[in-house]
Amino acid sequence: MLTITQALVDQIVAHARKDHPDEACGVVAGPAGSDRPERFIPMLNAAMSPTFYEFDSGDLLKLYRDMDDRDEEPVIVYHSHTATEAYPSRTDISYANEPGAHYVLVSTADTDGLGDFQFRSFRILEGEVTEEEVKIVESY
């Protein structure tokens, strides 16, 4: 289960809406070993595409150095889908290389008639996708 604050959910959704019609992407870092997302880090989609996201390799290197200096790890890796449901694509699955991370997808398309976005979390390990419950809290 992913436990996340409402403030972080709001930041992720706002980033997805701001970058629409392109996919948004980023990371939420937390203390190493805690599984607690704390620091919102929006990233630039270097692909600048409505159907694909890619972290800039230089930005990613800086991010990992910064997280290492702060004794953090990527607790959440997130991105948005602009025209499809919030479910990992084959490409998303092939790029999932953080075995301990929660992969959050936000859809900015109303694909289920329940509103203008979906917020879902998945674990992706060795190509296997497992959806998990999202528990939204006010604070930890």
Side-chain angles (χ1 to χ4, degrees):
M1 173 174 41
L2 169 63
T3 301
I4 185 171
T5 63
Q6 183 66 59
L8 286 170
V9 170
D10 293 346
Q11 288 178 295
I12 292 169
V13 170
H15 184 204
R17 288 181 170 152
K18 180 178 80 65
D19 283 10
H20 187 86
D22 289 338
E23 290 192 2
C25 58
V27 170
V28 182
S34 72
D35 197 38
R36 189 176 66 232
E38 292 183 351
R39 188 166 63 100
F40 174 71
I41 308 162
M43 303 285 285
L44 172 69
N45 178 355
M48 296 181 145
S49 167
T51 59
F52 181 74
Y53 82 98
E54 182 176 32
F55 291 116
D56 177 83
S57 59
D59 289 348
L60 202 55
L61 181 60
K62 286 181 207 167
L63 169 66
Y64 274 85
R65 284 182 174 157
D66 185 44
M67 286 190 300
D68 192 46
D69 289 346
R70 295 169 176 254
D71 197 25
E72 293 176 328
E73 62 189 9
V75 177
I76 294 173
V77 176
Y78 75 86
H79 76 281
S80 62
H81 284 180
T82 61
T84 58
E85 72 172 318
Y87 190 86
S89 68
R90 283 191 304 267
T91 303
D92 297 339
I93 295 166
S94 70
Y95 285 155
N97 60 2
E98 286 291 342
H102 302 269
Y103 286 88
V104 166
L105 278 102
V106 174
S107 176
T108 53
D110 183 2
T111 57
D112 60 7
L114 299 177
D116 60 353
F117 77 93
Q118 297 173 339
F119 187 100
R120 297 168 72 184
S121 184
F122 304 87
R123 292 293 191 153
I124 305 174
L125 192 55
E126 297 178 5
E128 288 291 318
V129 177
T130 306
E131 186 164 7
E132 62 183 350
E133 181 183 344
V134 176
K135 179 180 179 184
I136 300 173
V137 297
E138 285 307 310
S139 64
Y140 303 121

